[in-house]
Amino acid sequence: MRDYVAWHNEYDEPDSRLARRLVVVQSQFGAALDHHGDHARILSLCAGQGRDVIGVLAERRLTATRALLIELDERNAAVAERAAREAGLKGVRVLCADASDTDSARDGVPADIVLACGIFGNISDDDIRNAIAHLPSLCAEGADVLWTRGWDDEAETSSVRAWFRDAGFAEVAFEARVLEPTPFSVGTHRLATRARPFAPGVRLFTFVR
């Protein structure tokens, strides 16, 4: 089993893959906030220590912006909760729960911005497609979904982008860092069809590593 607390240590190394990916994710998250406004409702699945969200909200002093961060590892959830508290982000709630079960997201939907970062590289293609197909039930009208994926070859990321289109999303941003020592891609897709009613008790994915 991967130690997901130790895994976060790479974020503190400026030239690491995770640190470079974080910059891209935060840039796209900032653009989503610009589009949806300071009152956007944010949902982060498998949020880890909350670095994708907390740093941007703190920098912008969006202390009242509502965000639900779902993280299964209680140690990482505690780090995220402490970081949000120290930043004065009263609108951020950290829930220690399984983000693969839609029941965990009940209090955070419908969301204007959904982050599904650090997930697609750890689940099967069938589960990626299944998760994307159910994302409209977590979204508000016109919501943005941010996602990340490693870059073993272009076909894998192309499939993810196609599955978002199939689920009714339009691509807003996509950046692939293919020349990195460990390549990665980050995308934002906006819901272009009607949002669907929240569906409780749906299993979105299962981590395979």
Side-chain angles (χ1 to χ4, degrees):
M1 293 291 290
R2 174 181 288 172
D3 185 338
Y4 280 100
V5 176
W7 179 84
H8 280 77
N9 293 338
E10 190 178 328
Y11 279 111
D12 298 320
E13 302 171 13
D15 293 328
S16 70
R17 174 186 63 91
L18 289 182
R20 291 191 294 267
R21 192 185 76 178
L22 179 62
V23 171
V24 180
V25 171
Q26 288 183 333
S27 175
Q28 293 193 21
F29 177 50
L33 282 171
D34 290 340
H35 176 78
H36 292 283
D38 296 351
H39 298 291
R41 192 174 191 181
I42 300 158
L43 173 65
S44 182
L45 306 176
C46 298
Q49 296 177 356
R51 302 192 187 209
D52 296 338
V53 172
I54 292 172
V56 176
L57 295 183
E59 182 179 356
R60 296 185 177 213
R61 299 180 180 178
L62 299 179
T63 58
T65 297
R66 291 182 298 169
L68 177 63
L69 280 54
I70 304 174
E71 169 57 32
L72 182 60
D73 190 299
E74 61 184 14
R75 299 165 299 168
N76 282 329
V79 171
E81 188 171 13
R82 183 169 61 251
R85 184 174 63 251
E86 291 176 351
L89 301 177
K90 298 179 180 179
V92 172
R93 178 190 173 199
V94 180
L95 176 64
C96 188
D98 184 359
S100 69
D101 184 343
T102 57
D103 284 343
S104 300
R106 184 185 301 272
D107 292 338
V109 298
D112 299 298
I113 303 173
V114 178
L115 291 92
C117 300
I119 297 176
F120 293 168
N122 296 289
I123 63 179
S124 69
D125 284 352
D126 285 344
D127 274 2
I128 296 174
R129 191 168 191 170
N130 178 66
I132 292 172
H134 284 95
L135 282 172
S137 68
L138 304 180
C139 291
E141 298 290 335
D144 284 347
V145 175
L146 281 70
W147 57 275
T148 61
R149 183 72 169 92
W151 185 280
D152 295 328
D153 60 63
E154 185 176 0
E156 290 184 348
T157 304
S158 296
S159 294
V160 173
R161 298 163 79 184
W163 293 333
F164 268 102
R165 290 193 296 271
D166 293 344
F169 290 86
E171 189 168 279
V172 174
F174 177 75
E175 184 169 346
R177 296 286 185 90
V178 298
L179 300 180
E180 298 278 349
T182 307
F184 64 86
S185 56
V186 181
T188 299
H189 279 74
R190 183 165 296 154
L191 187 61
T193 59
R194 295 288 300 273
R196 297 206 305 266
F198 173 68
V202 174
R203 185 74 176 179
L204 298 175
F205 55 82
T206 300
F207 267 45
V208 296
R209 62 178 181 181

PDB file of all heavy atoms in Angstrom, residues 125-139:
ATOM      1  N   ASP A 125      -9.419   2.051 -16.465  1.00  0.00           N
ATOM      2  CA  ASP A 125     -10.080   2.849 -17.495  1.00  0.00           C
ATOM      3  C   ASP A 125     -11.600   2.773 -17.363  1.00  0.00           C
ATOM      4  O   ASP A 125     -12.301   3.774 -17.567  1.00  0.00           O
ATOM      5  CB  ASP A 125      -9.660   2.377 -18.893  1.00  0.00           C
ATOM      6  CG  ASP A 125      -8.261   2.846 -19.270  1.00  0.00           C
ATOM      7  OD1 ASP A 125      -7.679   3.659 -18.525  1.00  0.00           O
ATOM      8  OD2 ASP A 125      -7.747   2.387 -20.307  1.00  0.00           O
ATOM      9  N   ASP A 126     -12.112   1.594 -17.046  1.00  0.00           N
ATOM     10  CA  ASP A 126     -13.564   1.453 -16.878  1.00  0.00           C
ATOM     11  C   ASP A 126     -14.066   2.341 -15.745  1.00  0.00           C
ATOM     12  O   ASP A 126     -15.136   2.954 -15.850  1.00  0.00           O
ATOM     13  CB  ASP A 126     -13.931   0.000 -16.587  1.00  0.00           C
ATOM     14  CG  ASP A 126     -13.841  -0.886 -17.819  1.00  0.00           C
ATOM     15  OD1 ASP A 126     -13.802  -0.340 -18.938  1.00  0.00           O
ATOM     16  OD2 ASP A 126     -13.802  -2.116 -17.645  1.00  0.00           O
ATOM     17  N   ASP A 127     -13.283   2.432 -14.670  1.00  0.00           N
ATOM     18  CA  ASP A 127     -13.695   3.271 -13.549  1.00  0.00           C
ATOM     19  C   ASP A 127     -13.545   4.751 -13.869  1.00  0.00           C
ATOM     20  O   ASP A 127     -14.334   5.574 -13.376  1.00  0.00           O
ATOM     21  CB  ASP A 127     -12.889   2.920 -12.298  1.00  0.00           C
ATOM     22  CG  ASP A 127     -13.502   1.776 -11.514  1.00  0.00           C
ATOM     23  OD1 ASP A 127     -14.535   1.242 -11.961  1.00  0.00           O
ATOM     24  OD2 ASP A 127     -12.953   1.413 -10.451  1.00  0.00           O
ATOM     25  N   ILE A 128     -12.541   5.114 -14.660  1.00  0.00           N
ATOM     26  CA  ILE A 128     -12.427   6.519 -15.090  1.00  0.00           C
ATOM     27  C   ILE A 128     -13.685   6.911 -15.854  1.00  0.00           C
ATOM     28  O   ILE A 128     -14.308   7.947 -15.586  1.00  0.00           O
ATOM     29  CB  ILE A 128     -11.186   6.741 -15.982  1.00  0.00           C
ATOM     30  CG1 ILE A 128      -9.900   6.481 -15.202  1.00  0.00           C
ATOM     31  CG2 ILE A 128     -11.184   8.174 -16.528  1.00  0.00           C
ATOM     32  CD1 ILE A 128      -8.647   6.543 -16.073  1.00  0.00           C
ATOM     33  N   ARG A 129     -14.058   6.065 -16.795  1.00  0.00           N
ATOM     34  CA  ARG A 129     -15.242   6.360 -17.608  1.00  0.00           C
ATOM     35  C   ARG A 129     -16.504   6.403 -16.749  1.00  0.00           C
ATOM     36  O   ARG A 129     -17.375   7.263 -16.934  1.00  0.00           O
ATOM     37  CB  ARG A 129     -15.379   5.296 -18.702  1.00  0.00           C
ATOM     38  CG  ARG A 129     -16.414   5.636 -19.756  1.00  0.00           C
ATOM     39  CD  ARG A 129     -16.288   4.688 -20.938  1.00  0.00           C
ATOM     40  NE  ARG A 129     -17.079   5.147 -22.068  1.00  0.00           N
ATOM     41  CZ  ARG A 129     -16.999   4.630 -23.276  1.00  0.00           C
ATOM     42  NH1 ARG A 129     -16.159   3.643 -23.521  1.00  0.00           N
ATOM     43  NH2 ARG A 129     -17.761   5.088 -24.249  1.00  0.00           N
ATOM     44  N   ASN A 130     -16.603   5.486 -15.790  1.00  0.00           N
ATOM     45  CA  ASN A 130     -17.764   5.456 -14.900  1.00  0.00           C
ATOM     46  C   ASN A 130     -17.830   6.716 -14.041  1.00  0.00           C
ATOM     47  O   ASN A 130     -18.904   7.321 -13.886  1.00  0.00           O
ATOM     48  CB  ASN A 130     -17.690   4.231 -13.993  1.00  0.00           C
ATOM     49  CG  ASN A 130     -18.838   4.142 -13.008  1.00  0.00           C
ATOM     50  OD1 ASN A 130     -19.988   3.965 -13.381  1.00  0.00           O
ATOM     51  ND2 ASN A 130     -18.519   4.290 -11.722  1.00  0.00           N
ATOM     52  N   ALA A 131     -16.690   7.120 -13.486  1.00  0.00           N
ATOM     53  CA  ALA A 131     -16.664   8.321 -12.648  1.00  0.00           C
ATOM     54  C   ALA A 131     -17.073   9.553 -13.446  1.00  0.00           C
ATOM     55  O   ALA A 131     -17.885  10.373 -12.982  1.00  0.00           O
ATOM     56  CB  ALA A 131     -15.270   8.516 -12.053  1.00  0.00           C
ATOM     57  N   ILE A 132     -16.521   9.692 -14.636  1.00  0.00           N
ATOM     58  CA  ILE A 132     -16.850  10.849 -15.474  1.00  0.00           C
ATOM     59  C   ILE A 132     -18.340  10.851 -15.816  1.00  0.00           C
ATOM     60  O   ILE A 132     -18.995  11.898 -15.793  1.00  0.00           O
ATOM     61  CB  ILE A 132     -15.983  10.845 -16.753  1.00  0.00           C
ATOM     62  CG1 ILE A 132     -14.520  11.103 -16.397  1.00  0.00           C
ATOM     63  CG2 ILE A 132     -16.489  11.892 -17.746  1.00  0.00           C
ATOM     64  CD1 ILE A 132     -13.565  10.924 -17.560  1.00  0.00           C
ATOM     65  N   ALA A 133     -18.881   9.682 -16.115  1.00  0.00           N
ATOM     66  CA  ALA A 133     -20.295   9.586 -16.489  1.00  0.00           C
ATOM     67  C   ALA A 133     -21.212  10.038 -15.358  1.00  0.00           C
ATOM     68  O   ALA A 133     -22.318  10.544 -15.607  1.00  0.00           O
ATOM     69  CB  ALA A 133     -20.631   8.156 -16.895  1.00  0.00           C
ATOM     70  N   HIS A 134     -20.766   9.883 -14.113  1.00  0.00           N
ATOM     71  CA  HIS A 134     -21.592  10.259 -12.969  1.00  0.00           C
ATOM     72  C   HIS A 134     -21.305  11.676 -12.457  1.00  0.00           C
ATOM     73  O   HIS A 134     -22.048  12.165 -11.585  1.00  0.00           O
ATOM     74  CB  HIS A 134     -21.398   9.264 -11.824  1.00  0.00           C
ATOM     75  CG  HIS A 134     -22.102   7.956 -12.040  1.00  0.00           C
ATOM     76  ND1 HIS A 134     -21.477   6.863 -12.570  1.00  0.00           N
ATOM     77  CD2 HIS A 134     -23.390   7.581 -11.812  1.00  0.00           C
ATOM     78  CE1 HIS A 134     -22.335   5.863 -12.659  1.00  0.00           C
ATOM     79  NE2 HIS A 134     -23.502   6.266 -12.205  1.00  0.00           N
ATOM     80  N   LEU A 135     -20.272  12.320 -12.969  1.00  0.00           N
ATOM     81  CA  LEU A 135     -19.937  13.657 -12.473  1.00  0.00           C
ATOM     82  C   LEU A 135     -21.073  14.669 -12.641  1.00  0.00           C
ATOM     83  O   LEU A 135     -21.246  15.542 -11.774  1.00  0.00           O
ATOM     84  CB  LEU A 135     -18.669  14.173 -13.160  1.00  0.00           C
ATOM     85  CG  LEU A 135     -17.354  13.592 -12.626  1.00  0.00           C
ATOM     86  CD1 LEU A 135     -16.179  14.018 -13.501  1.00  0.00           C
ATOM     87  CD2 LEU A 135     -17.117  14.024 -11.181  1.00  0.00           C
ATOM     88  N   PRO A 136     -21.877  14.610 -13.721  1.00  0.00           N
ATOM     89  CA  PRO A 136     -22.972  15.584 -13.829  1.00  0.00           C
ATOM     90  C   PRO A 136     -23.937  15.568 -12.651  1.00  0.00           C
ATOM     91  O   PRO A 136     -24.604  16.565 -12.386  1.00  0.00           O
ATOM     92  CB  PRO A 136     -23.668  15.188 -15.137  1.00  0.00           C
ATOM     93  CG  PRO A 136     -22.573  14.596 -15.966  1.00  0.00           C
ATOM     94  CD  PRO A 136     -21.739  13.820 -14.972  1.00  0.00           C
ATOM     95  N   SER A 137     -24.008  14.453 -11.916  1.00  0.00           N
ATOM     96  CA  SER A 137     -24.903  14.392 -10.755  1.00  0.00           C
ATOM     97  C   SER A 137     -24.301  15.078  -9.532  1.00  0.00           C
ATOM     98  O   SER A 137     -24.995  15.261  -8.532  1.00  0.00           O
ATOM     99  CB  SER A 137     -25.238  12.938 -10.422  1.00  0.00           C
ATOM    100  OG  SER A 137     -24.104  12.250  -9.934  1.00  0.00           O
ATOM    101  N   LEU A 138     -23.029  15.461  -9.608  1.00  0.00           N
ATOM    102  CA  LEU A 138     -22.382  16.206  -8.530  1.00  0.00           C
ATOM    103  C   LEU A 138     -22.277  17.686  -8.854  1.00  0.00           C
ATOM    104  O   LEU A 138     -21.876  18.487  -8.007  1.00  0.00           O
ATOM    105  CB  LEU A 138     -20.977  15.653  -8.261  1.00  0.00           C
ATOM    106  CG  LEU A 138     -20.854  14.165  -7.933  1.00  0.00           C
ATOM    107  CD1 LEU A 138     -19.387  13.799  -7.704  1.00  0.00           C
ATOM    108  CD2 LEU A 138     -21.692  13.806  -6.717  1.00  0.00           C
ATOM    109  N   CYS A 139     -22.620  18.052 -10.085  1.00  0.00           N
ATOM    110  CA  CYS A 139     -22.360  19.398 -10.606  1.00  0.00           C
ATOM    111  C   CYS A 139     -23.598  20.287 -10.607  1.00  0.00           C
ATOM    112  O   CYS A 139     -24.725  19.804 -10.797  1.00  0.00           O
ATOM    113  CB  CYS A 139     -21.848  19.308 -12.050  1.00  0.00           C
ATOM    114  SG  CYS A 139     -20.207  18.608 -12.224  1.00  0.00           S
TER     115      CYS A 139
END
